[in-house]
Amino acid sequence: MPRPERPIDPAVGALQQFALDLRKLREDAGSPKFLQMARRSGKSRTALSEASGGDHLPTWETVSAYVSACGEDPDPWLPRWEAVREELKERRVDKPAETTTPVRELADTPPRPKKRIRRSLIGLAAVCAVVALVVLVFSDGPFGDGTPPAAPAVLTVQNKIALGPRGLVEDSTSAYLSKRTIARCGAYGCKIDGTEFWSGAVLAVRCYARGTLMHNFDLTQSGARQNPDAVESDIWYRTAMPDGRTGWLSEIYVEPANRGGMGLPVCDGLAAEGVEVR
């Protein structure tokens, strides 16, 4: 018997209402299995099931395939999908100037990864590989200064946004490593290109520093600060990608178990690199 889909609260926002509408469409079509829908549409079963999950806005191609697989004309759904996309854009750009730190700059068209990294696919072997990377990358200090390395540590990325008093959804843009401990490095030229990742990614970590105060919630939504998944922090971790490149990642983009400094030492000797450390 297929596992029932998890409940969605439409009061959280238009994204969740859109997902519920897709579920209702499938129910009216006789609740076909996602495997059947995949065969009809040519889209993967995973993409179709996630389209009505309410965690992120699916691509229009996926929505069109979903609706067609339910025997309906997808064209009337396009304006609704575009309206949700615009609302998600406005949530990130309509922030009070100077007083708050945006979650992340928004591209003209929010990208969606072709394949979402899942923690269940990481496995023990991948974690062991990351631990080995910590020893390799940081064995001579974070910048080759010969300082004794800290004990190997890893963290898990949580690239999600707290919406309203209860919602927590995957961000429509990826997280990335920065050259400095400041917000909006994509706009200010301090983003490390090619370091994009999503929830579930595991990174090596050596130390932390204090930088720009960041938050993962939308202040324009009522009750945002009371959301149990909302977090605000000025902690930035010095992390390493699997290819050995190192950079900064704000604490708001890691899982709750990896917040609070993780018992790591404060990163020393970084001011010469132009890192803003308070």
Side-chain angles (χ1 to χ4, degrees), residues 68-141:
S68 296
C70 292
E72 295 291 334
D73 180 8
D75 288 346
W77 286 75
L78 179 57
R80 300 172 61 183
W81 177 83
E82 291 176 334
V84 176
R85 183 181 63 175
E86 291 305 310
E87 179 174 318
L88 293 176
K89 280 186 180 182
E90 291 172 1
R91 287 179 181 174
R92 294 180 198 34
V93 298
D94 293 342
K95 303 285 184 179
E98 303 298 331
T99 58
T100 61
T101 301
V103 172
R104 189 175 292 107
E105 64 276 5
L106 187 69
D108 290 338
T109 301
R112 182 179 184 273
K114 293 182 179 179
K115 184 179 294 183
R116 183 77 51 80
I117 300 175
R118 296 181 179 279
R119 193 189 318 171
S120 60
L121 299 181
I122 293 172
L124 180 60
V127 174
C128 292
V130 174
V131 173
L133 171 65
V134 181
V135 178
L136 177 64
V137 173
F138 295 133
S139 59
D140 192 32

Side-chain angles (χ1 to χ4, degrees), residues 43 54 60 177:
K43 277 288 181 180
W60 168 243
L177 297 186

Side-chain angles (χ1 to χ4, degrees), residues 51-215:
S52 58
D55 290 326
H56 66 276
L57 182 65
T59 64
W60 168 243
E61 290 76 12
T62 298
V63 173
S64 178
Y66 189 109
V67 175
S68 296
C70 292
E72 295 291 334
D73 180 8
D75 288 346
W77 286 75
L78 179 57
R80 300 172 61 183
W81 177 83
E82 291 176 334
V84 176
R85 183 181 63 175
E86 291 305 310
E87 179 174 318
L88 293 176
K89 280 186 180 182
E90 291 172 1
R91 287 179 181 174
R92 294 180 198 34
V93 298
D94 293 342
K95 303 285 184 179
E98 303 298 331
T99 58
T100 61
T101 301
V103 172
R104 189 175 292 107
E105 64 276 5
L106 187 69
D108 290 338
T109 301
R112 182 179 184 273
K114 293 182 179 179
K115 184 179 294 183
R116 183 77 51 80
I117 300 175
R118 296 181 179 279
R119 193 189 318 171
S120 60
L121 299 181
I122 293 172
L124 180 60
V127 174
C128 292
V130 174
V131 173
L133 171 65
V134 181
V135 178
L136 177 64
V137 173
F138 295 133
S139 59
D140 192 32
F143 302 103
D145 58 5
T147 57
V154 295
L155 58 76
T156 303
V157 174
Q158 179 177 285
N159 184 43
K160 296 186 177 183
I161 302 175
L163 298 178
R166 293 181 301 277
L168 183 67
V169 300
E170 184 76 12
D171 198 346
S172 60
T173 57
S174 64
Y176 55 78
L177 297 186
S178 303
K179 298 176 184 177
R180 305 181 64 195
T181 58
I182 62 174
R184 296 179 61 83
C185 269
Y188 297 134
C190 49
K191 172 186 175 183
I192 301 177
D193 292 331
T195 62
E196 296 81 5
F197 40 78
W198 303 83
S199 294
V202 177
L203 303 177
V205 57
R206 165 70 186 278
C207 54
Y208 74 91
R210 301 282 180 176
T212 298
L213 183 68
M214 302 281 285
H215 61 259

Side-chain angles (χ1 to χ4, degrees), residues 218-261:
D218 188 346
L219 285 175
T220 64
Q221 292 196 339
S222 176
R225 288 188 178 275
Q226 286 70 50
N227 189 315
D229 293 305
V231 59
E232 190 172 47
S233 176
D234 64 353
I235 290 178
W236 291 71
Y237 289 114
R238 188 66 170 173
T239 60
M241 294 288 287
D243 61 7
R245 287 180 294 171
T246 62
W248 297 102
L249 180 66
S250 170
E251 182 179 56
I252 71 169
Y253 300 123
V254 305
E255 290 195 340
N258 298 140
R259 295 172 186 156

